[in-house]
Amino acid sequence: MSEAEDRKPQSDEARSAFDPEITSEFAIPAGLAVAKPVGEPETTSEFAVPAGLDVVQPVAGEGDGSAFSPPSTYSARQAPAAFTPADGVPVVSLIKDLPWQDRMRTMLRMPVAERPAPEPGPKTAEEDGPAVPRVLDLTLRIGELLLAGGEGAEDVEAAMFAVCRSYGLDRCEPNVTFTLLSISYQPSLVEDPVTASRTVRRRGTDYTRLAAVFRLVDDLSDPESHLSLEEAYRRLAEMRRNRHPYPTWVLTSASGLLAGAASVLVGGDLVVFVAAMLGAMLGDRLAWLCAGRGLPEFYQFLVAAMPPAAIGIALTLSHVDVKASAVITGGLFALLPGRALVAGVQDGLTGFYITAAARLLEVMYFFVGIVAGVLVMLYVGVQLGAHLNPDAALGVTKRPLWQIGASMLLSLTFAVLLQQERSTVVAVTLNGGVAWSVYGAMRYTGDISPVASTAVAAGVVGLFGQLLARYRFASALPYTTAAIGPLLPGSATYFGLLAIAQSKVDAGLVSITKAAALAMAIAIGVNLGSEVSRMFLRIGSQEKRRAAKRTRGF
């Protein structure tokens, strides 16, 4: 072999070492002609524009495919209406000398981006401001007291927002349900949010404590106050430690007087007044005994409903010439959950449907407990031969002065049972007398439907209660809840239960349905009266209060 032939394979091997396409498994076979790409790798991309498709090229100077480049159909001369109006977003002016409930409710119904920023005050002038978790904890504790006291979900959210805003936390979103309170605060769009929650496990009726919480929130919302976080915690602890304003014996006496006044409203005399009072007081003591043993409220209502019914049946069996149905009806007035009913319907009307459903379900359980207790005694009375006449308590239209006096006494005792402040008792007593006067004038003088009469009278209660609350910068519950006591459907409930006990199920269901309609009329009327007062009074902004845009389902 020649020396040239020895050098030829070496040159081939050397050439193959520098040209990988010859020995690569992806190399193109000899004799196959393939068009080479023209230097642009985009033709093999799945986002490449197919050949033959005409696409409008972006305007020079703009990034190809940029999310900020305007669409190809956009024209600056014929631009569509933008989200922001030409004259800008209207500025909301919050009047500081109006109740904080109105100002906070106005901002809660605004988008977060349109809420005015809080003004720096003395409370935020510390070194770095209070710690966010402590502010949220204080907010949740205040909301817990309000929700446990029977306040509506919207007012609880407004109070929580007011507390956070008073310490400079404007980017917060409170959320209230029947048993859970939560609040979330996000310092900025790039920082992580801080969320805290609290569970409401126990509810109590103490409107004195409720008024104290409202005063605390009012002081926190005042930009001129110097209430620090530690001072707010101290006042909150004092509210929890304070005793109820009325002792136990006063509450028991008030429940008896309430039942006696209610029996007079449905045609009872002095004997009926005393019998209904004794039955209600005995039922109240039995309910306290069950509460001390740890029994649920359902059984407390069941036991409390038995003594008035038993006394009425005993009077019938003794052939005493009294209206036994008035005794039983008076005992029912002291048990009907009017406070929870009004709060439940109010939550539903303001858009808090989960909380409203839970409250109304609670009312239903209480009502079923009352029904069970009364039905047991009525069934026993029917078996013993007691002839209970449903028409015995009718014909109560000839004593307007007695009825107005009884309605005022009923509202007074109801206010004591709700543990109201002594300064509010007189106002709510007068409000209850006005409510019954309106109802009596429409129902007995004008011969108008009882449901319509009840709704109008409850609307007057809500209107006056909201005006009094705005005058005193307080909650409206102490001025409205006790005033609706004379309007509660005690007689319709009793007649329905009596008909069911006498095997007249159809008539009983009709009467029970009437009682439910009256209860809904009370709740809707109270809420409507409150909304009317807000509608015609300035609420802290230049515009009307914004509501949820849900007309026709969208």
Side-chain angles (χ1 to χ4, degrees), residues 439-450 452-453:
Y439 173 79
M442 296 182 63
R443 177 71 184 96
Y444 301 129
T445 304
D447 197 19
I448 301 177
S449 162
S453 303

Side-chain angles (χ1 to χ4, degrees), residues 99-442:
W100 59 265
Q101 301 99 307
D102 294 336
R103 291 185 279 120
M104 296 302 109
R105 191 181 292 110
T106 301
M107 283 189 288
L108 275 177
R109 297 192 176 191
M110 295 170 56
V112 179
E114 298 182 16
R115 294 175 184 171
E119 299 178 3
K123 294 182 288 297
T124 59
E126 303 173 1
E127 295 181 359
D128 294 325
V132 172
R134 294 195 65 197
V135 175
L136 298 185
D137 177 70
L138 175 67
T139 303
L140 291 174
R141 291 177 183 272
I142 291 177
E144 178 190 10
L145 288 181
L146 293 175
L147 187 63
E151 192 64 67
E154 185 180 30
D155 292 329
V156 175
E157 281 196 358
M160 294 173 64
F161 187 75
V163 175
C164 284
R165 188 176 175 83
S166 65
Y167 290 102
L169 308 185
D170 57 327
R171 290 178 175 269
C172 62
E173 288 295 337
N175 187 21
V176 177
T177 58
F178 185 58
T179 58
L180 182 65
L181 297 169
S182 64
I183 188 167
S184 178
Y185 170 69
Q186 188 171 9
S188 65
L189 296 178
V190 297
E191 297 182 67
D192 296 333
V194 181
T195 303
S197 63
R198 192 172 183 87
T199 303
V200 180
R201 302 188 182 277
R202 185 179 179 183
R203 293 175 179 82
T205 305
D206 190 345
Y207 281 3
T208 299
R209 180 180 297 171
L210 187 69
V213 175
F214 263 75
R215 285 193 294 269
L216 174 59
V217 178
D218 186 42
D219 292 340
L220 288 173
S221 303
D222 188 2
E224 299 179 358
S225 66
H226 299 269
L227 195 62
S228 63
L229 193 65
E230 288 72 18
E231 179 67 17
Y233 266 110
R234 185 190 63 80
R235 290 178 55 176
L236 196 63
E238 289 180 355
M239 296 175 198
R240 292 183 176 273
R241 289 194 301 264
N242 285 345
R243 297 175 59 88
H244 297 302
Y246 306 103
T248 304
W249 67 270
V250 173
L251 298 179
T252 302
S253 303
S255 64
L257 291 175
L258 190 153
S263 66
V264 174
L265 286 179
V266 293
D269 52 11
L270 182 60
V271 178
V272 173
F273 181 93
V274 175
M277 183 177 64
L278 293 177
M281 293 174 65
L282 181 58
D284 181 77
R285 287 293 87 199
L286 290 176
W288 275 96
L289 180 62
C290 293
R293 299 291 182 179
L295 289 178
E297 288 183 301
F298 174 84
Y299 300 104
Q300 298 176 27
F301 276 83
L302 189 148
V303 171
M306 287 185 174
I311 292 178
I313 293 171
L315 292 176
T316 302
L317 293 174
S318 302
H319 302 287
V320 181
D321 189 15
V322 296
K323 295 180 179 179
S325 56
V327 177
I328 302 175
T329 301
L332 291 179
F333 266 84
L335 299 175
L336 293 177
R339 173 182 60 88
L341 175 67
V342 172
V345 175
Q346 180 182 359
D347 288 341
L349 294 176
T350 52
F352 295 85
Y353 300 112
I354 297 178
T355 308
R359 288 187 190 269
L360 294 178
L361 185 61
E362 182 188 39
V363 171
M364 187 192 73
Y365 272 101
F366 292 164
F367 189 76
V368 170
I370 298 171
V371 168
V374 176
L375 274 181
V376 168
M377 301 311 300
L378 290 179
Y379 182 77
V380 172
V382 171
Q383 296 301 315
L384 294 177
H387 298 286
L388 299 171
N389 184 13
D391 298 328
L394 300 179
V396 295
T397 63
K398 303 299 182 183
R399 303 185 302 172
L401 295 180
W402 280 96
Q403 290 176 336
I404 293 177
S407 64
M408 295 178 67
L409 178 61
L410 193 153
S411 299
L412 172 64
T413 53
F414 202 176
V416 173
L417 289 176
L418 293 174
Q419 303 280 0
Q420 292 189 197
E421 291 180 310
R422 292 178 174 86
S423 59
T424 63
V425 170
V426 176
V428 74
T429 301
L430 296 176
N431 201 6
V434 171
W436 182 262
S437 300
V438 173
Y439 173 79
M442 296 182 63

Side-chain angles (χ1 to χ4, degrees), residues 527-542:
N527 182 263
L528 182 61
S530 300
E531 293 297 331
V532 167
S533 67
R534 295 193 187 105
M535 184 184 303
F536 291 101
L537 296 176
R538 299 185 65 182
I539 62 171
S541 65
Q542 295 178 349

